Amino acid sequence: MIKLGSQLLQRSEEHRSAVRQLTPLFEASQRARPVFLLGAGASYRSGVPLADDAVKRIAKEVYAKRNLGTSSTARVMPGDIARFLGEQSWFINEPGKLGDNFPLAVRHLLVPREYRREFFRRELRPFNGTSEGYHALARLAQRGLSRVALTTNFDGCIVEALSALAPHVPRPIEINQTPDDHVSFSVYGHEPMVVYLHGAIDSYTDLNTSEETERLPPGLVEMLKQMLTASPLVVVGYRGGEPSIMSGLFKALTQSTLSFKCGVYWCDLGRAPLHERVQALHEAIGGNFFNLTIDGFDELLLDLDEALRDQDVYRPSVRAEQVNPIETSRSLVLGDLDHDLILAKLGEYCDKVLRPRVDRTRMWGLLGELGLVATDASGELRPTPEAVILFGKDVHSLFPQACVEFTQGGKKRKLIKGNLIQQFTELRELLDSADVNPQLRVKTSSSSKKQQAYHSRSITEMIVNMLVHRDYSAAEQSRIDVEEGSRIRFANPGGLPASVLKRLTPGADGEFAPVRSVTDIRNYSIADVFYGVGPMDKRGSGLCDAKELMLEHGGTARYLVEAGNTHFVAELIQARQQAPGSSETALALHPFGVYMTNHLRFEVMPGAITTIDQQNVPRINVPSGADLLGQATPDNAHVLIRQRDRAVSFCKPAALGARSGTYKLADVDHFASQPGGHTTVSHLLREHFVRYLRTFQGDGLYVEGGGHRAYFVKLSDDPVKIKYDAPKRSGVEREMVKRRESKKDVFHENEGFAFDVIRFQGDWAVQIKPFYMFTEADGRTPLPPYRRTKLSTSRMRFDRNQAVVSDLGFWSRYLARGAATVQLCPTGDYDLLMAGAFHEIEIFDPNEEAGQ
């Protein structure tokens, strides 16, 4: 189904019709991918002149040099240009044909050839930056919907737009810059390809004079024949004036392509008749020629990108032979991966890189594109070692080296294990804890303020650098050593890549200064995922950012290689606490902080919601207030909620046994936007969470009948204790029901939390608010409300910010059972994945900016 965005309503009817006609050509179900042919009109808004304007610019500059004896064109008037051109014997002085003089002006005026190249590099480049249309074209290429662009230009707009999506898009293959690069041409490849029909300036292959543009380079037409026989050709921003394209390409291929049997879709502004050569093409191929009127190149590409936003074609990754392959003790299988975690994180990845979200079936295609799964010789799909390190369920048994040893003050050793997603979460919480990153009082230029010893963003950059760039083929573990009051030292096996080492030239002690964009990615697939899910910056800027942030924070960062470049070491040196009268200051120039919220986000949601007529749903009463269909047990029954005249569920109608005509399906977001829809979706999500909470009843967790609070109760005379892994210690015991005594009686303080499902920053989330329930001597029966209120007020006086953060940390670990994601669908009919850790946000802190 074609989806047309709201921006399309602002376009002309002819343009909307063109979008409707072109969109099906690009859908993922099509076997052949459309090819674009772009002319100068596509680059006009990027500041690249059209043929008419280019002729005037050439004449203006040459007139100034020849007639005024200067390179300045300030004194050249339009009348001077008109007279100068009219005096040339080669000039075609006919209305509407100024652009036809472009190859003639190049031949006769831009001489010698080196001057021509210098002029084009200066004048025919995107002065305004790459336009939005090219970025939309790059997104289509990223999703595999169109990978080849033929261009008569040499302005670089296409390549710049594709480069802006790196590393999520492979470097484009550029054809016809030199004759030697023709060997890179492939009809069946998957990388983006740019074919310069008129060559490239930098390689002295630009073809612009009339003789040069009479024909295309030898062999290029033959290479394009197979592609243009099997693929539709969409022409945008091209006037059709060059004989090389209209005769040398179109006319030459008319017979061999069966008159371009897949169609030529000629898009123009409709402001003037088609060029005579285009009309001749129309007559030659007949019904395979489609003349479409559009509002502009940018408008067309943006609208196609929007209409095709849910379409994606996954290209298989070509894994380069690794210099140091990661060895395993046995063959890896898909069962080694945490499929729920993959689905959740690929959802974040797709959101970040503007690709359609994948479901449980399509995620293997994206993993293949990312180089994380591959088919073996027997045809079986298997994960790569990087996939298991990233998303594995039992990483330590397969790759014991893929962990981080943490020490503080030379002791308190802890091994951070699990997959990299888990390691990242645990390390960031550990290194941002109060005893590792304490609050200091630092003197500013006008007062003093409190700030953490290390900038949180610098810590994040160091963690990501450690996890992404280490050498996982080495048997050695990574190490983090905290020297209290001084520094945090990160040591990684695997030094700098040789190409980076050569450019950074470390000193005799191994220390070096990082340089932006000087990078070489060791673990490309791992890096790409970390780019996509957010914590990693692009193009090697992480080390530079970390040092700049620490300097602004009052400290610094230091980087070095050790033992002949076998190890990489980074040190964050903390801000110094200022003594009274000191003149040194630590200024907070970036007043942003990372804060943990009390929201467990739903990372993957069902796409559709089913409503069924009430009379067609069997009624089964259960204590939760939700209905269970099928077998009425918490483990294998569907969840739905009843309303006055309908029942609502995420299940597909067939799973509910609904008959045709008794149900409706709706997109969840659309349903939530309708009157009463938000409350219904919130209620349905909450019922899933309540169902999940009941799996903890063996621990003594009790959910109140209303489904908004849960707290621990005593099940026996034994203490109610929960074991969990804290950031710095494993197997910590926490007593959840504590015995208290007053002068009159014995009562208990029961830990619990209130909860609800809300919309937070555009996502659905479970909001958790820890509280205390006070119960009788039995540890189960609540005290009277007035007494509970009094005790709660008294108890909250002892809670401080750090205690609240600690409580939230406990609840997230407990409720997620240590996992990164939690599956809340009890039957497996759909995916409803909740994050296993509270959501973090980066927000502006005006108090920090003001030095308060």
Side-chain angles (χ1 to χ4, degrees):
M1 181 176 67
I2 300 174
K3 297 184 178 180
L4 301 180
S6 58
Q7 64 189 15
L8 201 63
L9 298 176
Q10 311 300 320
R11 315 295 194 213
S12 67
E13 177 54 40
E14 293 86 353
H15 179 95
R16 294 199 295 269
S17 175
V19 172
R20 285 192 292 267
Q21 190 166 351
L22 290 173
T23 298
L25 303 178
F26 293 86
E27 290 180 343
S29 59
Q30 298 294 329
R31 294 184 61 186
R33 297 289 101 211
V35 174
F36 279 103
L37 191 161
L38 306 180
S43 300
Y44 178 69
R45 288 185 184 165
S46 298
V48 180
L50 298 176
D52 289 15
D53 191 32
V55 171
K56 294 177 183 177
R57 292 192 188 191
I58 294 171
K60 187 175 185 178
E61 182 162 317
V62 174
Y63 176 86
K65 288 187 174 182
R66 292 183 182 179
N67 293 37
L68 304 180
T70 177
S71 59
S72 173
T73 60
R75 294 165 50 197
V76 181
M77 297 294 104
D80 298 328
I81 298 172
R83 286 192 300 273
F84 177 71
L85 287 172
E87 293 168 357
Q88 309 303 316
S89 60
W90 47 263
F91 182 66
I92 304 172
N93 195 4
E94 297 179 24
K97 289 195 173 184
L98 180 60
D100 289 358
N101 287 282
F102 178 67
L104 298 170
V106 172
R107 175 188 177 189
H108 293 282
L109 299 181
L110 293 184
V111 289
R113 192 179 182 92
E114 178 60 25
Y115 170 48
R116 178 195 307 177
R117 184 173 78 158
E118 187 275 330
F119 176 85
F120 283 151
R121 293 184 67 179
R122 171 168 36 87
E123 294 295 325
L124 301 190
R125 62 185 180 86
F127 284 94
N128 300 334
T130 308
S131 73
E132 285 301 312
Y134 277 108
H135 290 290
L137 176 63
R139 292 192 291 271
L140 292 175
Q142 179 186 22
R143 301 201 297 275
L145 302 179
S146 178
R147 72 178 190 90
V148 180
L150 316 179
T151 179
T152 63
N153 310 325
F154 36 76
D155 49 44
C157 288
I158 305 174
V159 174
E160 287 182 18
L162 288 166
S163 299
L165 295 176
H168 311 298
V169 175
R171 180 178 178 82
I173 298 172
E174 298 179 78
I175 303 295
N176 204 34
Q177 289 185 302
T178 68
D180 295 337
D181 62 26
H182 287 191
V183 298
S184 301
F185 183 87
S186 171
V187 174
Y188 304 106
H190 297 276
E191 298 84 1
M193 187 186 305
V194 181
V195 180
Y196 298 98
L197 296 175
H198 286 168
I201 297 173
D202 290 337
S203 305
Y204 279 95
T205 61
D206 55 300
L207 308 177
N208 287 285
T209 69
S210 54
E211 287 78 7
E212 290 168 337
T213 57
E214 283 293 332
R215 64 188 67 85
L216 292 177
L220 183 59
V221 175
E222 188 64 27
M223 285 193 303
L224 294 176
K225 179 173 69 176
Q226 186 176 358
M227 178 180 292
L228 296 181
T229 301
S231 298
L233 181 64
V234 180
V235 183
V236 191
Y238 179 59
R239 57 194 294 273
E242 289 93 345
S244 59
I245 307 299
M246 302 313 299
S247 296
L249 180 66
F250 284 109
K251 187 175 181 180
L253 293 182
T254 295
Q255 185 173 358
S256 59
T257 59
L258 301 178
S259 296
F260 292 90
K261 65 177 184 177
C262 292
V264 174
Y265 296 81
W266 200 281
C267 304
D268 76 342
L269 301 179
R271 297 172 184 169
L274 293 175
H275 193 283
E276 57 192 31
R277 290 192 174 100
V278 181
Q279 294 177 16
L281 172 65
H282 186 181
E283 294 172 2
I285 67 176
N288 293 335
F289 184 93
F290 302 89
N291 185 204
L292 306 178
T293 300
I294 62 173
D295 291 350
F297 167 74
D298 289 305
E299 289 83 351
L300 176 65
L301 270 295
L302 287 169
D303 292 337
L304 285 174
D305 181 41
E306 172 65 16
L308 294 157
R309 64 185 183 275
D310 295 332
Q311 301 286 320
D312 214 323
V313 177
Y314 304 110
R315 60 184 183 273
S317 173
V318 179
R319 284 180 60 81
E321 197 67 33
Q322 290 184 299
V323 178
N324 299 311
I326 306 171
E327 297 182 357
T328 58
S329 57
R330 62 166 174 81
S331 295
L332 302 176
V333 296
L334 297 183
D336 292 323
L337 301 175
D338 184 338
H339 296 191
D340 288 346
L341 178 62
I342 291 172
L343 188 58
K345 290 304 170 185
L346 288 188
E348 290 184 38
Y349 177 92
C350 291
D351 290 344
K352 181 72 175 292
V353 303
L354 302 178
R355 297 184 70 167
R357 278 198 165 220
V358 293
D359 56 21
R360 198 170 288 271
T361 301
R362 294 192 300 146
M363 70 183 188
W364 303 110
L366 181 53
L367 285 174
E369 181 178 311
L370 296 173
L372 294 171
V373 296
T375 304
D376 64 13
S378 66
E380 186 174 355
L381 194 64
R382 294 187 180 276
T384 63
E386 294 91 339
V388 176
I389 290 170
L390 255 174
F391 299 124
K393 292 189 293 189
D394 188 13
V395 178
H396 195 63
S397 65
L398 292 167
F399 304 100
Q401 77 276 22
C403 60
V404 180
E405 181 185 83
F406 172 86
T407 59
Q408 188 169 358
K411 51 188 179 181
K412 301 179 183 178
R413 179 180 179 273
K414 182 178 181 180
L415 210 57
I416 311 299
K417 300 183 291 185
N419 56 57
L420 295 192
I421 305 299
Q422 293 170 315
Q423 289 186 34
F424 172 76
T425 301
E426 190 169 351
L427 284 170
R428 190 163 65 170
E429 184 175 356
L430 179 62
L431 294 179
D432 242 353
S433 61
D435 56 341
V436 175
N437 194 12
Q439 289 275 335
L440 303 178
R441 181 165 293 279
V442 180
K443 184 180 178 63
T444 69
S445 56
S446 59
S447 62
S448 65
K449 68 183 181 71
K450 287 184 178 180
Q451 69 174 39
Q452 288 181 296
Y454 305 97
H455 199 292
S456 293
R457 285 274 300 280
S458 294
I459 288 177
T460 297
E461 293 290 353
M462 291 299 96
I463 295 171
V464 170
N465 184 80
M466 168 170 277
L467 299 181
V468 169
H469 293 302
R470 65 160 288 167
D471 181 1
Y472 286 99
S473 66
E476 188 180 346
Q477 301 163 347
S478 298
R479 299 190 313 277
I480 298 178
D481 302 299
V482 177
E483 298 179 25
E484 296 180 4
S486 177
R487 70 191 65 211
I488 304 176
R489 189 174 192 270
F490 302 80
N492 239 2
L496 295 174
S499 59
V500 176
L501 184 70
K502 182 179 180 180
R503 296 182 65 182
L504 295 182
T505 59
D509 60 352
E511 187 169 357
F512 65 89
V515 178
R516 292 188 183 276
S517 301
V518 177
T519 185
D520 188 3
I521 299 175
R522 176 178 280 118
N523 306 303
Y524 196 89
S525 298
I526 293 174
D528 193 32
V529 172
F530 266 78
Y531 287 146
V533 299
M536 185 174 182
D537 286 334
K538 294 183 181 181
R539 301 189 177 97
S541 62
L543 299 184
C544 297
D545 289 345
K547 184 166 186 176
E548 289 177 6
L549 290 167
M550 284 303 300
L551 287 168
E552 294 167 359
H553 204 63
T556 189
R558 180 171 175 258
Y559 307 111
L560 62 153
V561 291
E562 292 183 335
N565 194 39
T566 60
H567 291 76
F568 168 80
V569 174
E571 293 181 342
L572 296 183
I573 301 169
Q574 76 167 53
R576 289 192 293 273
Q577 188 162 317
Q578 303 301 316
S582 171
S583 62
E584 296 184 53
T585 62
L587 301 180
L589 301 183
H590 287 265
F592 291 86
V594 177
Y595 294 87
M596 182 172 70
T597 70
N598 60 336
H599 302 98
L600 297 172
R601 289 190 308 151
F602 289 103
E603 296 188 312
V604 176
M605 291 268 295
I609 195 165
T610 303
T611 57
I612 310 174
D613 294 342
Q614 183 70 277
Q615 64 269 22
N616 293 290
V617 183
R619 181 180 296 278
I620 301 175
N621 293 318
V622 293
S624 70
D627 282 319
L628 307 178
L629 294 179
Q631 300 181 43
T633 66
D635 296 329
N636 59 1
H638 301 299
V639 178
L640 73 155
I641 58 172
R642 293 185 183 275
Q643 297 176 329
R644 179 175 300 174
D645 58 351
R646 65 182 183 179
V648 185
S649 176
F650 289 133
C651 290
K652 294 180 180 178
L656 298 172
R659 300 187 306 275
S660 177
T662 65
Y663 64 85
K664 293 181 181 179
L665 279 174
D667 176 81
V668 172
D669 288 337
H670 177 73
F671 183 92
S673 68
Q674 302 304 304
H678 184 281
T679 302
T680 299
V681 174
S682 175
H683 185 187
L684 188 55
L685 291 170
R686 183 163 52 83
E687 289 297 346
H688 283 79
F689 186 62
V690 167
R691 174 81 69 85
Y692 176 69
L693 290 181
R694 288 204 171 86
T695 65
F696 294 91
Q697 61 187 0
D699 295 339
L701 187 66
Y702 168 74
V703 183
E704 283 188 337
H708 286 279
R709 296 200 303 183
Y711 55 90
F712 282 91
V713 297
K714 295 196 69 172
L715 301 177
S716 65
D717 292 335
D718 297 329
V720 180
K721 293 184 178 180
I722 299 297
K723 280 189 176 182
Y724 73 104
D725 293 336
K728 300 183 70 172
R729 274 198 307 134
S730 300
V732 177
E733 274 196 342
R734 183 178 177 118
E735 189 169 359
M736 308 307 297
V737 181
K738 299 183 178 71
R739 186 177 185 274
R740 304 296 190 198
E741 293 187 24
S742 68
K743 294 180 180 180
K744 296 181 179 180
D745 60 2
V746 173
F747 63 96
H748 288 82
E749 180 183 284
N750 307 50
E751 289 200 46
F753 59 91
F755 60 90
D756 207 346
V757 173
I758 65 168
R759 204 72 187 264
F760 178 74
Q761 290 193 329
D763 294 320
W764 292 98
V766 179
Q767 185 179 53
I768 300 291
K769 297 179 180 178
F771 81 105
Y772 296 98
M773 172 60 73
F774 295 92
T775 58
E776 303 277 6
D778 62 1
R780 295 177 58 88
T781 307
L783 291 173
Y786 74 90
R787 191 170 178 202
R788 294 206 309 265
T789 301
K790 182 177 179 181
L791 289 170
S792 295
T793 303
S794 176
R795 178 63 179 81
M796 285 192 300
R797 289 185 302 163
F798 298 99
D799 281 345
R800 297 292 183 265
N801 287 340
Q802 193 56 43
V804 172
V805 171
S806 178
D807 282 348
L808 288 173
F810 162 75
W811 284 115
S812 66
R813 286 182 176 81
Y814 175 71
L815 293 174
R817 295 188 169 101
T821 56
V822 179
Q823 176 63 266
L824 295 188
C825 174
T827 60
D829 294 300
Y830 47 87
D831 284 301
L832 180 58
L833 297 178
M834 183 182 72
F838 287 105
H839 183 52
E840 293 182 345
I841 57 174
E842 184 179 69
I843 63 174
F844 177 79
D845 187 346
N847 291 330
E848 185 173 349
E849 182 184 47
Q852 297 176 356

